[in-house]
Every structure is written in structure tokens, then in C-alpha cells.
Amino acid sequence: PPDAVGGKIPDNPVNTIYHPIMPETKSKKKISKDYSYRSTYKHKLSRARNKAQRGGLSKAEMMKKYGRFPKKKEWWGPEANYEEWKERWIAQNPPPSGVVAEAGGK
């Protein structure tokens, strides 16, 4: 029982977090997600690589055309491979000053 560990069950359990050691708290503020990473150069490069690997197709178009996702080293884009695409993309989208243009390539 909660009394055995030093805590007490709150009278109003709605919006109340119970923990045997921590004091009671009422959670009124909703925590919002942080999407600031989406504006980073690394994230934009990664998303562009994903789309380029699929040959510029959206997920729905790719599934309709191929019926599957590309395998790890498979490249459906017009370029010969990832390295060739990356050089062209970085030339068209130069990184901001102080940012190293690297993304987890496959």
C-alpha cells in the first residue's frame, strides 16, 4: 500500500501524479514538442537524401511504383550513387557558415 512507503493516495487522482517519494504535483501545463531540429542543415540534408534515394518520389508514389522501400545501399535516383548526389546537393545548398555538411549516409 502507498502508506507503507511514506506516500499517500491523493483525494483527487485526476491530473495528479503519484509517486511514493516525490511530493504531489498537479500537472496543468502541457509540454510541447521541440521541433527546432527540423530547421538544422543536417536534418534538411538527411531528408533530401531520403527523397533522392527514392528517386524523388514521395512514400506513396514509391510504394505505388516499386511496392517497397529501397534497400540500404540501393539508389533509385538519377545520379549514380549517394556521393555524386551529395556533392551536387551541397553545391546547390551551401551550408551556413560554421556548419559541417555531413549526414548519416547509407
Side-chain angles (χ1 to χ4, degrees), residues 51-71:
K51 191 166 185 179
Q53 184 177 13
R54 299 190 302 254
L57 302 174
S58 69
K59 288 182 183 179
E61 293 168 338
M62 177 200 58
M63 291 302 282
K64 191 179 216 179
K65 183 173 181 180
Y66 297 103
R68 64 181 179 88
F69 283 89
K71 294 178 182 169

Side-chain angles (χ1 to χ4, degrees), residues 24-102:
E24 293 177 16
T25 57
K26 295 204 177 200
S27 127
K28 293 182 180 177
K29 185 178 177 184
K30 184 177 180 182
I31 298 171
S32 61
K33 293 183 179 180
D34 182 15
Y35 292 107
S36 61
Y37 70 93
R38 288 186 177 176
S39 64
T40 64
Y41 186 78
K42 183 178 177 181
H43 182 73
K44 290 179 180 179
L45 174 61
S46 175
R47 299 305 307 144
R49 180 194 52 78
N50 287 345
K51 191 166 185 179
Q53 184 177 13
R54 299 190 302 254
L57 302 174
S58 69
K59 288 182 183 179
E61 293 168 338
M62 177 200 58
M63 291 302 282
K64 191 179 216 179
K65 183 173 181 180
Y66 297 103
R68 64 181 179 88
F69 283 89
K71 294 178 182 169
K72 188 173 184 177
K73 298 284 184 178
E74 198 169 16
W75 190 264
W76 293 342
E79 298 82 9
N81 55 29
Y82 166 70
E83 288 76 21
E84 184 181 315
W85 170 85
K86 184 178 177 184
E87 287 176 16
R88 188 176 58 83
W89 192 87
I90 290 175
Q92 292 175 349
N93 304 283
S97 61
V99 175
V100 178
E102 289 188 26

